[in-house]
Amino acid sequence: MTIFLTGVAGFIGSHVAEALLARGDQVVGIDNMNDYYSVDLKRARLGRLGGRSGFTFIQADVADREAVGAALKRAEASGPVTGIVHLAAQAGVRYSLENPYAYADANVVGQVIMLEAARKLDCLEHFVYASSSSVYGANTKLPFSIDDPVDHPVSLYAATKRAGELIAYSFSHIHKLPATGLRFFTVYGPWGRPDMAAYLFCDAIMAGRPIRVFNQGRMERDFTYIDDIVAGVVAALGRPPAPDARGVRSMLYNLGNHRSESLVRFIEVIEQALGRTALKNLEPMQAGDVPATYADIDATRRDLGFEPAIPIEVGIPRFVAWYKDYHGIA
C-alpha cells in the first residue's frame, strides 16, 4: 500500500512513518519544515527515514493547494494511494495566543485542502487525522469520553482542532469519505517536541535553571508514550469506520494512557532519570490551559484493540536516555 502522510518530520509523524515502513508500506511524506521549533531536530528525524526503502519525502505545506495536489500526483505515480494519515498541524496551546493565523492556516485551511484532495482519489480507503484532547476544553467530568460535549474550547488551538473534526464529518457526509479523528493525549517519548513538558524540564534541569510549574503544580495529565500512540494510529488506519445510522462513515477516538498522573509525579520521575533535582518556580494557570486530562478509551479498545502499555516510570527514562544521547550528554 502507498500511504500519504503529512507532518512526516514531526514527532508523531516520523514515528508513524517508521512503523508503516517496517510493515512494508510505501510512504510518501510531506512537511513544510517550519521553524516553530528546531528545524535541525526535524531534519534529524527525517534522516532516520531517508535511507529506508519505500520512503519518499516532499517538502510541501498542507495549506498550499497546489503543493498538496502536486505531492499527491507524485505519490500516485508510484502506485494508488490507499490511505492518508494527516498529522500536519500547528501545535501548541500557548503559541496560539501569539500567532492565531498560523492555526487557522494549518489546522483549518489545511484540513479542508487535505480532505478535498482525498475525496478525489480513486483508491483511497481511509482518511485518518490528528485531533487533540484539547477539544474537551472546559469540561470537568473525568475521564473525557468521545460522547462528551465539546462546545467550550478554552484555546484557539482547541477550537481549530474541533473545527477540523466537524469539517471531516461534513466531508464524510457529503462525499462518503471514510474518516477517523484521533484525539491525542499529551504524547511524549524519544524525538519529542522541544516545546513539550518532558523536553522543557530536561533542558532546564540540566542547565540548572528553574522549571515553570503552572497552577502551583496542581495539574494532572494523561501522559501517553509515543509507541502506544503509534500503535493506535496504525490500528485506526486499518479499520475504516462503518456507516452510522445516517450512512456517514466518520469516527472519533481517544488515544491516551487511560490514567492521569500529577505533574508533581511526572517531575519526580524526570528527576530520578536525570539524577538531578529540579528548581521549581510555581506559577498561576496559563491562559488556554486546563487543570486535568484523562482519556476514556473504552471505544478505542473495543473498535481498535488499543491497549496502552507504557507507564511514565518506563517511558520517561527512555525519553531521558534519548535526550542525553541526542545532546551528547554523558
Side-chain angles (χ1 to χ4, degrees), residues 1-5 20 23-28 72 75-86 114 117-128 176-180 234 236-241 249:
M1 295 194 299
T2 296
I3 308 300
F4 191 81
L5 196 159
L20 294 173
R23 72 176 195 176
D25 292 334
Q26 301 288 310
V27 176
V28 176
L72 272 167
E76 288 209 289
S78 59
V81 173
T82 56
I84 290 178
V85 180
H86 176 38
M114 286 303 305
R119 76 171 182 89
K120 297 175 181 177
L121 297 175
D122 293 333
C123 298
L124 188 72
E125 298 171 1
H126 199 185
F127 183 95
V128 175
K176 312 305 178 188
L177 177 69
T180 295
V234 173
L237 181 62
R239 294 170 174 82
R249 300 180 66 188

Side-chain angles (χ1 to χ4, degrees), residues 124-138:
L124 188 72
E125 298 171 1
H126 199 185
F127 183 95
V128 175
Y129 64 95
S131 188
S132 168
S133 62
S134 295
V135 301
Y136 291 107

Side-chain angles (χ1 to χ4, degrees), residues 7-18 21 31 33-34 36-52 55 57 91 187-196 199 226 319 322 326:
V8 72
F11 171 36
I12 299 173
S14 61
H15 281 276
V16 171
E18 191 171 17
L21 290 167
D31 201 293
M33 303 297 286
N34 70 33
Y36 167 62
Y37 63 83
S38 169
V39 177
D40 287 341
L41 176 57
K42 296 179 181 181
R43 291 195 185 106
R45 293 179 186 137
L46 284 177
R48 299 170 63 235
L49 300 170
R52 302 286 294 270
F55 178 69
F57 173 67
V187 189
Y188 74 98
W191 299 96
R193 286 185 2 228
D195 63 322
M196 296 293 284
Y199 207 122
I226 184 62
F319 170 77
W322 168 81
Y326 181 73

Side-chain angles (χ1 to χ4, degrees), residues 9 62 65-66 92 101 115 130 135 142 144-146 164 169 214-215 219 240 270 282 308 319 325:
V62 294
R65 278 178 281 178
E66 292 185 0
Y101 297 115
L115 284 161
V135 301
L142 295 173
F144 295 150
S145 165
I146 58 169
Y169 183 88
F214 296 113
N215 200 32
M219 305 276 281
I270 291 175
L282 302 182
F319 170 77
D325 181 68

Side-chain angles (χ1 to χ4, degrees), residues 2-323:
T2 296
I3 308 300
F4 191 81
L5 196 159
T6 74
V8 72
F11 171 36
I12 299 173
S14 61
H15 281 276
V16 171
E18 191 171 17
L20 294 173
L21 290 167
R23 72 176 195 176
D25 292 334
Q26 301 288 310
V27 176
V28 176
I30 69 169
D31 201 293
N32 70 355
M33 303 297 286
N34 70 33
D35 62 358
Y36 167 62
Y37 63 83
S38 169
V39 177
D40 287 341
L41 176 57
K42 296 179 181 181
R43 291 195 185 106
R45 293 179 186 137
L46 284 177
R48 299 170 63 235
L49 300 170
R52 302 286 294 270
S53 175
F55 178 69
T56 301
F57 173 67
I58 302 169
Q59 186 163 342
D61 191 329
V62 294
D64 183 332
R65 278 178 281 178
E66 292 185 0
V68 168
L72 272 167
K73 188 174 181 179
R74 182 174 164 187
E76 288 209 289
S78 59
V81 173
T82 56
I84 290 178
V85 180
H86 176 38
L87 303 177
Q90 178 57 60
V93 169
R94 296 182 187 109
Y95 185 60
S96 69
L97 304 175
E98 303 171 25
N99 190 359
Y101 297 115
Y103 291 78
D105 290 342
N107 301 357
V108 180
V109 175
Q111 181 82 331
V112 172
I113 288 173
M114 286 303 305
L115 284 161
E116 178 65 10
R119 76 171 182 89
K120 297 175 181 177
L121 297 175
D122 293 333
C123 298
L124 188 72
E125 298 171 1
H126 199 185
F127 183 95
V128 175
Y129 64 95
S131 188
S132 168
S133 62
S134 295
V135 301
Y136 291 107
N139 288 10
T140 57
K141 180 186 77 65
L142 295 173
F144 295 150
S145 165
I146 58 169
D147 297 320
D148 293 340
V150 284
D151 302 325
H152 299 94
V154 296
S155 69
L156 178 63
Y157 170 68
T160 62
K161 298 308 279 186
R162 178 56 180 156
E165 294 178 350
L166 295 172
I167 292 165
Y169 183 88
S170 72
F171 269 79
S172 292
H173 176 73
I174 297 166
H175 302 294
K176 312 305 178 188
L177 177 69
T180 295
L182 303 173
R183 292 174 175 173
F184 297 144
F185 280 69
T186 316
V187 189
Y188 74 98
W191 299 96
R193 286 185 2 228
D195 63 322
M196 296 293 284
Y199 207 122
L200 289 170
F201 290 164
C202 283
D203 266 352
I205 293 169
M206 293 304 296
R209 300 191 311 270
I211 63 173
R212 302 177 70 189
V213 183
F214 296 113
N215 200 32
Q216 315 299 318
R218 295 187 295 272
M219 305 276 281
E220 294 184 354
R221 287 290 181 270
D222 194 332
F223 295 103
T224 315
Y225 190 67
I226 184 62
D227 289 5
D228 290 329
I229 290 290
V230 170
V233 173
V234 173
L237 181 62
R239 294 170 174 82
D244 65 11
R246 294 185 176 92
V248 181
R249 300 180 66 188
S250 179
M251 278 297 295
L252 292 166
Y253 293 107
N254 288 334
L255 288 190
N257 200 35
H258 192 51
R259 58 185 292 177
S260 205
E261 302 280 1
S262 73
L263 182 59
V264 171
R265 175 58 183 158
F266 187 73
I267 294 168
E268 287 175 351
V269 178
I270 291 175
E271 290 174 320
Q272 291 164 7
L274 286 172
R276 299 193 180 196
T277 301
L279 304 171
K280 303 177 185 71
N281 281 347
L282 302 182
E283 301 186 17
M285 178 79 84
Q286 288 280 285
D289 219 340
V290 296
T293 66
Y294 176 18
D296 179 337
I297 61 170
D298 287 350
T300 324
R301 281 176 167 145
R302 180 194 67 223
D303 296 349
L304 305 182
F306 177 70
E307 196 61 56
I310 309 297
I312 61 171
E313 289 77 11
V314 175
I316 285 296
R318 291 181 185 176
F319 170 77
V320 168
W322 168 81
Y323 173 88

